[in-house]
C-alpha cells in the first residue's frame, strides 16, 4: 500500500500514460463512466523492464475534497492477468489437442489406404488365379487339387471380408 497510496496514477503505473490518459481525459470531459474487461496494459516495472498485464477496471467521475467542484476520477481496478493467461494457455492446449487429433486422423487414412492397396492387390490376384484353377480353365484337376483350390478361394474370401471390416 505504501507504494501506491497517495500517489498519482502515472507515478505508480509508469509507461501507461499513452494507454490510460486518453481514457481518463474522456471521463473528465464527458462525465461518463468507462469500464473495461481484460484490458491489456503494459507498464515499466521499477527495475526498468516492461510487464504485460490484464485488468478489469472502471473509471468513475468523482467530486473530490469539499464538494466545491474539484473533479477527479475514481479508478477501481482488478488485475486479472493470471486468469487471462490461464485461459490463453487452455486455448493453446486445446488447439494442440485438435492438431494431434487431425494428425492421428491423417495417419489412420494413410493406414487404411496402404491396407486397401497393399493387401487387396495381391489378394485379387490370388482369387483370380484360384478361380481359374477351380474352373479348370488351365486343364482338368484331380479331386485333391480341386479341394486345394477351393480352400485357397475360401481363405482369400475370409481375408477379403476381414479387410472390408477393417476399412
Amino acid at each position: 500500500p505504501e507504494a501506491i497510496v497517495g500517489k498519482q496514477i502515472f507515478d505508480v503505473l509508469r509507461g501507461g500514460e499513452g494507454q490510460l490518459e486518453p481514457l481518463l481525459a474522456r471521463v473528465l470531459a464527458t462525465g461518463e463512466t468507462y469500464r473495461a474487461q481484460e484490458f491489456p496494459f503494459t507498464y515499466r516495472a521499477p527495475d526498468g523492464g516492461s510487464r504485460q498485464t490484464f485488468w478489469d477496471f472502471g473509471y468513475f467521475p468523482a467530486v473530490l475534497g469539499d464538494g466545491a467542484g474539484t473533479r477527479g476520477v475514481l479508478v477501481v481496478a482488478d488485475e486479472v492477468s493470471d486468469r487471462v493467461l490461464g485461459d490463453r494457455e487452455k486455448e493453446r492446449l486445446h488447439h494442440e489437442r485438435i492438431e494431434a487429433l487431425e494428425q492421428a486422423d491423417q495417419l489412420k487414412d494413410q493406414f487404411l489406404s496402404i491396407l486397401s492397396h497393399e493387401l487387396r492387390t495381391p489378394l485379387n490376384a490370388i482369387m483370380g488365379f484360384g478361380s481359374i484353377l477351380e474352373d479348370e480353365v488351365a486343364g482338368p484337376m484331380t479331386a485333391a487339387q480341386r479341394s486345394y483350390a477351393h480352400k485357397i478361394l475360401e481363405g482369400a474370401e475370409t481375408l477379403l471380408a476381414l479387410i472390408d471390416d477393417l476399412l
Side-chain angles (χ1 to χ4, degrees):
E2 55 276 350
I4 61 172
V5 172
K7 303 238 170 115
Q8 295 292 321
I9 190 167
F10 297 123
D11 291 338
V12 175
L13 300 175
R14 292 177 196 88
E17 297 86 347
Q19 293 173 280
L20 302 176
E21 197 166 5
L23 300 174
L24 290 170
R26 186 173 105 188
V27 172
L28 284 170
T30 65
E32 294 177 11
T33 299
Y34 179 87
R35 294 175 191 256
Q37 290 186 318
E38 298 180 1
F39 184 83
F41 177 73
T42 304
Y43 71 93
R44 283 192 316 271
D47 64 5
S50 65
R51 181 168 173 229
Q52 174 76 48
T53 58
F54 296 88
W55 296 80
D56 289 345
F57 67 87
Y59 289 169
F60 303 92
V63 176
L64 305 175
D66 60 5
T70 305
R71 295 187 57 210
V73 176
L74 172 65
V75 179
V76 178
D78 183 26
E79 183 177 2
V80 293
S81 300
D82 290 341
R83 182 188 77 211
V84 171
L85 295 174
D87 289 348
R88 288 184 179 178
E89 179 65 12
K90 286 177 191 173
E91 186 176 327
R92 184 189 66 78
L93 291 173
H94 179 71
H95 286 295
E96 284 180 4
R97 286 184 190 122
I98 289 172
E99 288 174 7
L101 289 172
E102 287 172 348
Q103 184 179 12
D105 191 51
Q106 288 175 350
L107 290 172
K108 176 202 58 121
D109 289 346
Q110 287 175 346
F111 170 76
L112 293 176
S113 175
I114 289 169
L115 179 72
S116 177
H117 181 266
E118 297 299 326
L119 291 179
R120 277 189 168 185
T121 301
L123 189 57
N124 285 335
I126 291 169
M127 292 179 77
F129 285 112
S131 292
I132 289 172
L133 290 174
E134 187 178 53
D135 294 341
E136 297 184 14
V137 173
M141 295 192 310
T142 65
Q145 290 170 332
R146 245 187 316 282
S147 172
Y148 296 151
H150 183 72
K151 286 180 182 177
I152 289 171
L153 287 172
E154 280 183 343
E157 287 173 7
T158 301
L159 188 55
L160 182 62
L162 288 173
I163 293 169
D164 287 341
D165 288 346
L166 280 173
L167 294 174

